[in-house]
Structures are given as structure tokens and as C-alpha cells.
Amino acid sequence: MLGLEGRVRVVIAGVRPEIDCGAFAAKRIAGDRLIVDADIFIDGHDLVAGEILYRHREDESWRRSRMKFLGNDQWRGDFLVSKPGKYYYSVEGWIDRFGTWRSTLTKRIDSGQDVRLDCLMGAILVEEAATRAAPDDAAILNNWIRILRQEQDPENVKEALGDELADVMARYPDRRFAARYGKELCLMVDREKARCSAWYEIFPRSCASEPGHHGTLRDCEALLPYVASMGFDVLYLPPIHPIGHTARKGKNNESAAGPEDVGSPWAIGSDEGGHKSIHPKLGTLNDFDRLIAAAKTHGIEIALDIAFQCAPDHPYVRQHPEWFRQRPDGTIQYAENPPKKYEDIFPLDFETPQWRELWEELKSVVVFWIEHGVYIFRVDNPHTKALPFWEWMIGQVKDQYPEALFLAEAFTRPKLMYGLAKRGFSQSYTYFAWRNTKQELESYFQELEESGVRDYFRPNLWPNTPDILPEFLQTGGRAAFMIRFILAATLGANYGIYGPAFEYCENAAKERGSEEYLNSEKYELKHWGIGSGLKDFIARINGIRRDNPALQSDDNLRFHATDNSEVICYSKATSDLSDIVIVLCNLDPFHKQTGWIDLDLASLGLDARRTFQAHDLLSDGRFLWRGSRNYFELTPESLPAHIMKVRRLVRTERDFDYYF
Amino acid sequence: MLGLEGRVRVVIAGVRPEIDCGAFAAKRIAGDRLIVDADIFIDGHDLVAGEILYRHREDESWRRSRMKFLGNDQWRGDFLVSKPGKYYYSVEGWIDRFGTWRSTLTKRIDSGQDVRLDCLMGAILVEEAATRAAPDDAAILNNWIRILRQEQDPENVKEALGDELADVMARYPDRRFAARYGKELCLMVDREKARCSAWYEIFPRSCASEPGHHGTLRDCEALLPYVASMGFDVLYLPPIHPIGHTARKGKNNESAAGPEDVGSPWAIGSDEGGHKSIHPKLGTLNDFDRLIAAAKTHGIEIALDIAFQCAPDHPYVRQHPEWFRQRPDGTIQYAENPPKKYEDIFPLDFETPQWRELWEELKSVVVFWIEHGVYIFRVDNPHTKALPFWEWMIGQVKDQYPEALFLAEAFTRPKLMYGLAKRGFSQSYTYFAWRNTKQELESYFQELEESGVRDYFRPNLWPNTPDILPEFLQTGGRAAFMIRFILAATLGANYGIYGPAFEYCENAAKERGSEEYLNSEKYELKHWGIGSGLKDFIARINGIRRDNPALQSDDNLRFHATDNSEVICYSKATSDLSDIVIVLCNLDPFHKQTGWIDLDLASLGLDARRTFQAHDLLSDGRFLWRGSRNYFELTPESLPAHIMKVRRLVRTERDFDYYF
């Protein structure tokens, strides 16, 4: 330590955001201002000052943003992150020698002490600053130096304590022995869609216009207007690659497939190709490029499934047997979760001595599809592949393509789920599908809202998936689907549904106690009609999301009390409170529920003494509310929820109230 | 990253204790077991295992302690820290390949699957372990290999799932691709006195047996039986060095000292010497060595004051003017906290270009006194000296003398106070002197109990100091002194009082609104009698502390509810609950208070259905209590508190209850 500079007295600690001591990047959206907090302090009575240092990409030089004192040794600043990609930031602090002088002198003058020596000390500080200053500022400073050196008039000395000198001096601080926070923290900035997106999942092979036919990418293209009309902006396709023949599963996951059986799209690869190929029955790469382009005209992005595993007849198995785990009898280990066996799938062995080649090849799969215009990837079971691989792969891809987004389908234990998010996934599936009661929902979303989690984990809420038909949907009828949709689309700025099965309220499970769909699309062709079901309801809610910025971010979720345990109430608001939405949802799909909510008005910036209008954007009903306690009555068979926009009183004339 | 080993799939995170990402050492006491927590997890379904790596001193090789699975990916282990000094620890985790095999095979057998290939895979795992095993264990393993390779009898295979094979296998894990936590964390282990100590502060110059005389170290020696009779084990002396003559302060801190005035002991140094000298009127180094030896025979350690500052006539000022800050007029900057001036004190300039020499010299002061048998230092105003200096100095001294302890007298802002503790101070003064109400006390001690703080900050509670006569003591009479003493001595395992002024209930302040003592000993000689005041009361409470291990640690403090806001209730207990003490204290020095406590019985391991005895160690009253709610009545003029030892029923005969 005696070898270092021992005179750096300023301490910088507690910098936020910081994930796991800086091991991982926090996340923000292009256009955000990143708020950085730090403790900056020093021994003794000197004042300190601090700045954020930040840059886009590591090779840029640092830019600086001044921090403000919050009290209790805490400082806060911010900077704009304008572009997707990595930003780096740190904090610097130094002794504010001029500020200290100014504060000391003020106290001396106030207590009538002799300040001649202080004026001289001040002059020296200003002289030093003048050597660092731009010519214009140096001229101003020189004027003050003259005053401080020559003037004995206490009134003039007092002027030196004013803001003019202080403002110029603040631009030329004495950074001798400045302390730099010991780490450069990383921020991953994503584009807007990482913050807000509405996903629709559909199996392309089920998109044929006629029953009994294998759907194609061209059929998908024809479906785009329907998807757009419901207001979705991400169309997610399960794997579109050739499907293995060996050990192919039959309908309802039966172990022996018949010759007609189409197999699971997640059993990827055959002699027709692997992860960079398209299933011949779906079409060609050319069709795919057309689909991407057509989707764009509808404001829709195509998301592909990244499932890093192989059917036994995937070309990798022949070309790179060393990428798979061999069993003592010379066969390759298939996937299993004992006692369950998935003989149609070979997992990749991330402990292979050829892991470098494997990593590079898997990365090339993602890059291949990016080069075909896909920038969103839903990653299948990332929690069964090595975490260091994801960290490397996502980092590499985003260095080259900062617009790329990755959704982690990690239905697994919380630390592993969070661990994947820390390693770069832009969004993550959650436990939402299994959080049904008010207490479950509140405590789970409060956990996700905690800033430590929110800084790196972006929930994407799915009421169903091809693997998950929750019990609530199996038993609650149409109202259950409405309830779960409202919750997903308003609790989460990012959410999705598994396609027609949702809007047609498909609720038949394979067997009692199972969340598998009966006759699941995962193993057979389906034919869904178009144009009925919950389509209009979904379109209306997506429209409400589009119109209300409050619903486009997860930053400002707050729960409010109700006196009925079947009714949940929460609000979302923009940070400036210009848009406030209050959702009141009946969690019971069978009965009308009534009661009183008790709004936390202060958090919404509402005055308890003034009437405001709660405008239900679902029913278009308008309620005049005043104070925190208000009555509700929610009937599941008609509409189980209110999605209320708060409209405040603008001005009052004799008989009219105006709301905005 | 492709250059590193990408096959390390195990993740280790969230290691606790860890202070500021490992920048600082946590603290424990010799004889403790350090409990280490970590998250250890991996992708997929493999089981993992983990160990703590630890060592005393950096050059030792690692020892290992197995961790246990707690659920939710959390692991816990511990190790014994037997000696004072630094320990280092980290965590290692690896795939438990045998455990994974065992668990898989169990599931397969349960579901009736063919396990022949599994037996072969198991045999290979055991063969690998056998190459690592000691000869005896290898023989056992070889026997199992034979069974697994040859035996098709499912009953024998089941035996291989038993504990015998697993226990041997656990001793020879396959640590290929083991993950090591990225940091080696440091633990500072102190001797027992860092955990529990009772301090008594006295000005040696006021110890003369006759009024009007300047006390000496010999007089101090004569006072040792008195201090010991009260039960104190640390006798802390304000600076014993020569006192400056230049700008010496007079009585009551008047700026002009008369010829008789003795000056402040903190204005250190004159032509008679500096920080390594003894004030001639106090005696000689020889007297000091005698005092140390005599104190030891009474079970008392002498603590010295380390005040790194100089009177204007300190030899350093002449020898090292570069260690002080020069003003533009060539004079040296005296200490001030504008507008207050301390012209009798020159602060050291920690920004001097000669900071290395300064640091070394200051360290040599501490080492000088250690070599005279002083191992406890009360450090004056450490928050006005550079933090990097303390970190270096304490680290250096403790490397050489691990028994050395440092108490930080940092009455300053919380982050600076905590920052000093992180940099090595063994104990710290606190805000206790200004926490009077039940709410203030509970919230402050809950903050200190939070494990993040408790890991590095050891409070030392002082109801008064020569600088602080709190308003509560000024106005509350004798009962106020009793209340504050009980709180200090039972809320804190470490506490202290500023000597005779406390036991004589000296409560005259210099002026209204000031916490300065009138005619403060800091500026004049005092003569205190011996043998009256609160002596017996203090002795009794120190005796209770000595008899009850629960009061000798701050690990297990818990507050309990009372229905009277003037009465606070808390318990302390040993971790095995063999000693439980419940304190019930009336915070109102003027009125009797009555009410009901509501004990958290579960936290004390007490059965709500069984009677227990609450034995008041202060009054020797014994109360039979049952359940959580019990009545109290506390009269400040007699005894404002109960200090109850919980005695549980051992057995019942017809008419007798036995308690231990």
C-alpha cells in the first residue's frame, strides 16, 4: 500500500446499479437516463464532489456527468443511453476545495472573524483553477483573483461567495488525488422492444388454410393480418427446421410414431438439414425471407426458437460425434429427466474437449438467422446448457448485433433463472403461469420489482405455452382466460400467449393432474379457424397497452389494498405520472365479487380532496372517484376487470368538470 | 473467454459473509466457527457438492470443510477459527457425479427400467475414484466395482445405492471442472476481549489521593482494586503524554490559560516529548510498565488513547514541518471546525508529499506502546484522518500483533463510521448516547444487528464520555444514570463509562444546551473520592454480565413487545439457548411504569404451555411466568429494571418445581 498513492482520501462505495459486484451488466433501454447512485465521502470536514464517468463501447474516451448531493454522503447523477449496445460507467470523486473554502469563509464572516488570510487562500485556489480554465473563464477568474488579493472591503469578499465565481470554479475542479471507483461497470442497453412487447406463438405447420394439410411459411404470411389485427408485435415460431425420423414421437408423445406422424419440432435435424435449414414441408429460405419482410409491413417481428439439441439423425451427430456424450456401450446418451426418457433428442455435451468448436458453431446458428433478418430469439431450455456458454454467446452476438434480443425459456429454480438473466438474456419466462391468488401475485411481482432484480431481469408473462395449460385455465372457463390475459398484459410490459389455443380457450388437458394439452400440437398437425374466440377482447387490451405508456414499462408497478381477497388492484404509471392506469381484476372466474379498494393516492400524485375520473378503458364506463376508498363490483361472465385510466380535473366551471 | 476453460459449468455466487464485494474483512472471535453460505448451482439435472476452502495466513495451504445443501441452491458450511489473526476463505463446487448416478439409478429401479448400462457407468465412476483413494478405501471400492461390473442381481445393485459406497465415494470426488469462487475473502479474527469488555475511563492526573495534587501513574496503580471491584476489565487512560504549552487552553476551554492551568491531554507534545513520551508529572516509563503489570494481576488491561495530532510545541512540528499544512503567511494551520478554532492543536496533513514517512512514524507510535504491553487502543477522532492510513496501519500492526485491538472514537456520519470499522477498527463508539426512546433504541440496535453490519461493526456503548454529558443524564437524576448504565451494559457486550463522573452521577453541564461538562476534567485537575455513588450497583451488573454468557455477545439480541412505550424489553441468549436473559427497563426516570410484556417465546425456545421462572438478578426476585404475556411494574427510584435469567423447569415432583 505504501507503493500506491496514499493521499487519495476520498472514498467511493455503494455504486448502484451494480449486479453481483460488477460481474454482470445491468440493463436499460435506449433513450433511458441511467440513474447512478454512490456514496462519496471523506475524513474530516472537507466537502467533496463527484461525477459519473461513462462511455459507449470500451474504446471511447470517458464522458462525464456531474452528480448531486442527496444528503447522508449519498450522491446521484444520470446520463442518457441513446443507443443499443454496451455502456460502461464508473464514479469519480474529489475534494471540493473551493466549496470547502467558500463554506468556511461564510462561517467566519458570519461569526465576525478576520478573513484576510482566507482571502489569500481563496486567491490561490482561483489562480490554480485559472491555469486550467478556458480563456473566457480565465478572464473572469483573474478578475476575482484581483479582488481576493487586494480588496479588504468585506462587501466585496462577500461577493466572492456568490454563485458567479462558484459556477466557474465548478467547471475547473482540482482533481489532485481524485478517487476513482475501483470497477468499470457495464450496462447493456437494448432497443425499445426489450421493454415492451406482445408475443403470439403459433406452429407454422398448423397454419394451413385447409384442415389436414401441412401448413407452410406462405400460410403464416397469410395469417399476418389476423395477428396484427389483435395487436401483437412479435410472432414467435417454434423450430422450423427439419425434424428427426429416428425415435420420432407419436401423437400425445407416444413412444412409437406412425408413418403419418409429424414429430416434435424440437427434435431438430435430419438428413434434410439441421439448425440452419428449413423443414421442406414449411418451405424454403426464400419463403422465410418473404415472411420476415411481410411481417415488417404489419409491424410484426418474427422470433425464432433456438433449441440447441439434436434429433439422432441431425447432421451434427454424424459430423461431430464428439459433441455428444457416449455411453459405455458406444451409443449416444439421449435426453432424460429420470425416469422420463426423450429418445428423439440428443443433448449436446458442454463438457466435450471440443467445446470451443461447439460454441462457435452454435453462435453461427444465431448469426445465420440474424443475417436472414431475425433479431428476436426465444431460447428453449437454456437452463440445461452451460451458463458460461450463454454469457459468451450472447455477449459476442450483441457486440456485433446490439439489436438482438434473447428470451430465456428457463422454467427452473429461481437462482438459475436469475443467473441466466444476469448472463445476458434480454427477457425471461417467469412463474406467472402458476401464480393465481392475490397473495401469490403480489408477493411474486414485488420480488420482481425489487430494484436488485429489476436491474437485470425482465419478466415476460405467459398465461399458457404449448407445455403449460395451467389448472386455472383447465377449470375456469372463458372467464379464466380473460382474467389471465388481463393480468399478463397489464402486470407485464412483455407478455405472450400460445396462439389459437389461447384465444379459442382450449382447455382440455391430456390427463387429470397434467398441464399437457390433450392432442398437443407439439406432436400433430392442428387446424384452427380464424376470427372468433377472444380475438376482439385481445385486440382491445393490446390497443389499451398501445395507447398508455404506463403499461409499456415495468418500472412503476404498485399494489393497492382491497378488502376482498378475490380482487387484486394495482397501478402502473409513467415516471412523471402523466399516464396512470389502475387495474382492478376479479381473480374468481365463477362469482361476482364486490368490495372496496383503498388506493395509495400519494403514490399516484392524487389529491385526496379532489375528485378524479376513473375511466374504464374496457367497458368505457366513467366513474367519479374521490379519496382512497372506492366501491367495485366485478362480474366474471361479462367483464372480470376494470382497466381504469385516471383522468384528473383540469378546471371547473359552474356545472362542468374537465378531465385530461 | 474461449481462451479460458469453458467447461466449468458449476456456478458459485452469493458467498456470505462478504463485506463490500470482498474489499474488507469480516470479523469473528477466536474459538468461533465461521458459518459460510453460498449459492452453488449448475445447469441441467446434475447434483453438485461444495466445500469451503480456508487457511490461516496467506502462505498456508488450503484446508477444506464440506458444505451441506440447505435447499433452493443454497449451501452452508463452517470452520473453526482458533487463533487471532487473518483467515482466508473461498468456496469450491463441483458436479457430484456419483451422487447424480445414484439418484438416477434409484429412479430407474423404482420405475422398473433396465439398469445394466447404469451399472456399467457406475462401475466406471467407482474405478476412477479408486485411482484417487487411499489403499483401504480402494479395496472397498474395488469390491463394489466387481459387483457393479458382474452382478445382474437387482438386490445387489440396490446395495450399491446404500451409504457404504456413497460415503467412501464422497471422500474422493471427481473435481474435474470444479468451480472456485472468484475471490479469496478475508476474516479478521480477534481475541475474546473484542467481543466482550467493560471499560472504565479515568484521567490519571485526577487520581491523586489528596485534593490539589497532580495525580500520577502510581496513583492509578493504587486505584486498580477499586476499578476491579466494580468489575471492569479495561482501564482506559486519556493521553498520558507531555502537553503543549503554546496556545494551551484554560479551564472550561477558555482561550487563555493561566500559569497553573494543566491543559488538555489531547494537545500532545512539548519540549518534554511527544507520542512516545510520558508527561513528567505522571511519572516515568518505568511507572507505566509497573502499572501494566499491576493491572494484569487485577484482570485489567490498560487501554491507551491514540490521538494523532500535535500541540504547536510537539517535536514533530520542528522536526517535520512538512507533515503539517502551511498557510500562505507561513504559519501552520491549526485544527478548526469553523467557526470553532483549536489553536492548541495542529492536525497532521495526510496529503503531505512525505506521507510515507508520516505513516511509518505513526505506526511506530502504536508499536512502541505495544512493546510496553498495551494491546488496546482507543483512537481519538479517527474520522478526521485519512481512511487509507487506518486500513494500512491497523493491517500492518495486526499482522505483527494479532492481539491488538482498536476502538474508533468516530462520532460522525454513519457511512464514515461504518467505513472506519470496515478498515479494521475492532470496536466502535456509537450513537447510543443519543438514543433514548424505545423506538430510537429498537431501530438503532436492529440496524446494528443486521448481519451485514454485525459482520464488521462491533458497537461499544458509552452512556457518557468526557465530551458527552447527554441531556438525559443532565436532567434525569440518579435513576437516569442507572437506566443508561443498564442499557449500555446489557444491550452491548462491549460498553464503557467515563469514570468517577459517572458513578458520582455528575450532571452539571457547562451551559444550557451544551453536552460539555462544567469544569471539565479535560482542562483541569479533579479530585474524586472513592467508595460511594453507583459503585455497588455497577459491580452487581458487571457480575451479572460475568455470570451470563448471553450478555457477553451481541449475536442474539431480540426485542419483545410491551404495551407501554416507556418500557423496553429485550432478550439476549446464547446460540444453544442454554443461557437466556430478559431485560425489562423503565426508560422514564421519574415515574413508575406498569404494563404487560408480550414475549416472543418461540425465539427463546420456551413452551407457551409450561411455566418458567424469571429470576431477577438485580433484585433477586423470582417470578413464575407462563405464556407470552406477563405483568411488570418498574419504579425508577428503587430499581428501574429487571434483568431476568430464564430458568426452565427441569422436573416436577408432587409439590416442587426445579429450575436450572
Side-chain angles (χ1 to χ4, degrees), chain B residues 540-561:
Chain B
R540 174 177 291 231
I541 288 175
N542 276 331
I544 294 170
R545 281 169 51 94
R546 203 170 34 241
D547 295 342
N548 286 279
L551 296 175
Q552 294 163 19
S553 148
D554 289 329
D555 284 349
N556 235 338
L557 174 67
R558 178 177 294 268
F559 291 96
H560 301 270

Side-chain angles (χ1 to χ4, degrees), chain A residues 2 4 6 9 21 43-44 72-73 95 97 108 113 336 339 341 351 355-356 360 383 413 415, chain B residues 2 4 6 9 21 44 72-73 95 97 108 113 336 339 341 351 355-356 360 383 385 413 415:
Chain A
L2 281 176
L4 302 172
R9 291 161 50 212
C21 299
D43 63 275
N72 193 23
D73 293 323
I95 299 172
R97 295 182 199 271
R108 275 206 221 294
Q113 296 181 5
E336 53 177 347
K341 300 178 177 185
E351 289 184 354
W355 61 273
R356 287 183 181 81
E360 288 287 3
H383 58 291
R413 306 180 307 280
K415 288 182 198 291
Chain B
L2 281 176
L4 301 173
R9 293 161 50 214
C21 299
N72 194 24
D73 293 322
I95 300 172
R97 295 183 199 270
R108 275 206 220 294
Q113 296 180 3
E336 54 178 348
K341 299 179 177 185
E351 289 183 354
W355 60 274
R356 287 185 182 80
E360 289 287 3
H383 58 292
K385 285 100 196 169
R413 307 181 307 280
K415 288 183 199 290

Side-chain angles (χ1 to χ4, degrees), chain A residues 79 203 209 274 295 369 410 505 515 522:
Chain A
F79 64 94
F203 284 68
S209 51
W369 292 108
C505 303
E515 291 181 334
K522 290 191 289 185

Side-chain angles (χ1 to χ4, degrees), chain A residues 64 152 184 247 273 276 320 339 487 493 523 603 617 640:
Chain A
R64 290 170 174 271
Q152 302 297 327
E184 292 184 16
K276 297 174 188 169
H320 295 285
L487 292 172
Y523 310 104
S603 72
L617 303 172

Side-chain angles (χ1 to χ4, degrees), chain A residues 553-565:
Chain A
S553 148
D554 290 328
D555 283 349
N556 235 339
L557 174 66
R558 178 177 293 268
F559 291 95
H560 302 270
T562 74
D563 62 359
N564 181 327
S565 65

